[in-house]
Amino acid sequence: MIDSYKHKGMRKALVNEVQQKGIKDAAVLEAIGKLPRHLFLDSSFDRFAYQDVAFPIGSGQTISQPYTVAFQSELLEIKKGEKILEVGTGSGYQACVLVELGAKVFSIERQRNLYEKTKKFVQKLGYRMNLFYGDGYKGLPTYGPFDKIIVTAGAPEIPKELLIQLKVGGWMVIPIGNQEKGQIMTKITRVSEKEFAQKTYGNFAFVPMLKNRAAD
Ligand code: SAH
């Protein structure tokens, strides 16, 4: 697991690119600048790691585009020590960004092989987080409520069971929509026990959030 000067140089350029596209949060930019994204991809794809694009990571899944990771992270406005639920662990890159931002991370993945691979990998990288194999539509009721929730797969509808795992005053950042038209980034705030407020932030393209765990 080598992080060379060349990688560091490319990473700096990526941070500039993401900043130029509109990301302002210094802590988020710092996290992108620190994380060796090339290690989250197969080594033969080294040269793509610091381009601002999504990339396949196996099992038909992708590591999100760095700008998208930064955008969702910025919307979360994480304060140190906050308990965050992520749906769609994937490569673990977004989860590591959240750890860098000081969050206590709980992340669920429905593909068992990805879950296992990523669990080993983030441990090796030295990141502490709580990873689960399961269905993100159900969330983690026994570990909630959460300060914030981030969904990193395109949800055809708002997962109701996740809403009730939010603390009052907390919010969920989730791309809502289908595969044909893409998704609209949405922030849903739990204003009170029974009241939720919604705000939208433009179009994105994610792999779909699927029901149930994949078969073992
Ligand atoms: N956050 C990831 C992005 C992964 S892509 C990263 O930084 O790399 C989205 C992931 O969501 C995929 O790995 C997919 O398997 C997973 N996913 C889709 N539906 C899910 C569900 N219902 N529960 C948990 N994970 C789900």
Side-chain angles (χ1 to χ4, degrees), residues 123-165:
Q123 243 165 31
K124 211 164 133 193
L125 206 59
Y127 281 81
R128 288 167 68 100
M129 58 180 77
N130 306 283
L131 298 183
F132 300 83
Y133 164 58
D135 179 7
Y137 275 98
K138 300 195 175 81
L140 292 171
T142 49
Y143 294 87
F146 299 93
D147 293 291
K148 318 269 169 64
I149 298 176
I150 171 173
V151 177
T152 68
E157 74 230 30
I158 299 169
K160 300 282 179 305
E161 285 184 61
L162 294 184
L163 289 180
I164 56 172
Q165 290 173 40

Side-chain angles (χ1 to χ4, degrees), residues 57 61-64 69 86-95 108-111 114 134-137 152-153 207-212:
I57 51 170
Q61 303 306 325
T62 57
I63 178 170
S64 301
V69 171
E86 180 194 28
V87 173
T89 314
S91 69
Y93 181 75
Q94 171 75 71
I108 318 177
E109 172 56 54
R110 71 178 283 283
Q111 297 262 7
L114 255 185
D135 179 7
Y137 275 98
T152 68
V207 296
M209 182 174 178
L210 300 168
K211 293 256 176 192
N212 304 318

Side-chain angles (χ1 to χ4, degrees), residues 199-216:
K199 216 175 155 191
T200 56
Y201 296 87
N203 296 296
F204 288 82
F206 284 81
V207 296
M209 182 174 178
L210 300 168
K211 293 256 176 192
N212 304 318
R213 300 190 299 190
D216 291 2

